[in-house]
Amino acid sequence: MSKAKKLSLEDHADKIREELKVPRQEELFKAAVEAGYLTARADGGVDDTERAVLVKAVELLSQGLVLEWETESLLDECQKLADDEGVDGRAAKVGATLKDLGQPEAGLFVAALVARATKGVEKSEAELLKSIGKSAGIGTDKVRDIVKRATSLASD
């Protein structure tokens, strides 16, 4: 099943990249990646599989603009920030960044895709997405819709 989910991400990469074509795309992408990292970490940690999915998602969605070693260093930076400031603290900052960029839905969509592509969206991950959404000025219902949309890609 996990292979099917990963392939689904590849199948929908063009559609997802369209959503990320916005002003300040690089900043949005970085915030979205951190949101994805934090979401993956919400269930207690980021294992090798989740990290590999994150790397693959970044490469796929950035269409090669982000090299693998840059992705690894970006994820290392996300890990350090989460270690130093705590997951909840970073979630609030990432949400605020997404709000400032005017693209909170796109960032949360990427985070939900990453969560779905690993083991499905677990309760702890859904709660973290809601927390990021709250800081981004998005209500719980809207976050739920974004997660449903990301989850529905698996069944397309």
Side-chain angles (χ1 to χ4, degrees), residues 21 24 33 35 37 47 58 60 67 79 98 109 115 119:
K21 284 187 180 172
R24 297 167 66 188
V33 168
Y37 172 84
D47 62 28
V58 170
L60 249 148
L67 301 173
Q79 180 179 350
L98 291 171
F109 186 59
K119 296 178 221 148

Side-chain angles (χ1 to χ4, degrees), residues 57-97:
V58 170
E59 290 169 356
L60 249 148
L61 299 177
S62 69
Q63 208 165 20
L65 296 175
V66 179
L67 301 173
E68 185 175 343
W69 62 267
E70 292 173 330
T71 304
E72 291 289 347
S73 82
L74 179 58
L75 292 176
D76 289 344
E77 183 182 329
C78 292
Q79 180 179 350
K80 183 178 180 343
L81 288 168
D83 289 347
D84 292 349
E85 300 176 32
V87 171
D88 292 335
R90 287 309 303 165
K93 287 184 180 177
V94 168
T97 298

